[in-house]
Amino acid sequence: MSTVTFDTREFTRKLRDAGFDEKQAETVVRVLAESQEKLVTREHFDAKLEALELRLTIKLGSLIAAGIGIVAAILKLG
């Protein structure tokens, strides 16, 4: 999974130029950087979704096969 990166010094400078004091600017940059850690890329999300779809397809196929087997056994015994 890739991460989004940005120039923290440049961002801090832009915030200071906009009127933030040094402590405020650094806090905003730190909070933004920490929040980036929880983001996922579209590719990562799509890969996880595809894996989930495959698992569900296999489980559904197994249930259908088991159901057909049960029906066939009932018809043979009946």
Side-chain angles (χ1 to χ4, degrees):
M1 177 171 68
S2 63
T3 58
V4 178
T5 58
F6 61 96
D7 185 347
T8 55
R9 286 185 179 197
E10 178 67 15
F11 191 41
T12 302
R13 184 191 61 77
K14 287 181 179 181
L15 289 172
R16 290 185 68 218
D17 290 348
F20 284 71
D21 65 33
E22 186 70 25
K23 186 175 179 181
Q24 290 172 323
E26 288 176 357
T27 301
V28 169
V29 170
R30 186 178 65 253
V31 168
L32 183 60
E34 289 171 0
S35 70
Q36 299 283 321
E37 295 171 5
K38 296 180 177 142
L39 298 177
V40 297
T41 63
R42 182 61 150 168
E43 294 80 18
H44 181 75
F45 178 80
D46 288 343
K48 288 290 190 178
L49 185 59
E50 188 174 319
L52 178 61
E53 289 172 346
L54 178 61
R55 287 183 14 221
L56 288 173
T57 300
I58 291 169
K59 286 184 181 187
L60 182 59
S62 298
L63 286 172
I64 290 172
I68 291 172
I70 291 170
V71 169
I74 290 172
L75 291 175
K76 188 173 184 177
L77 294 175

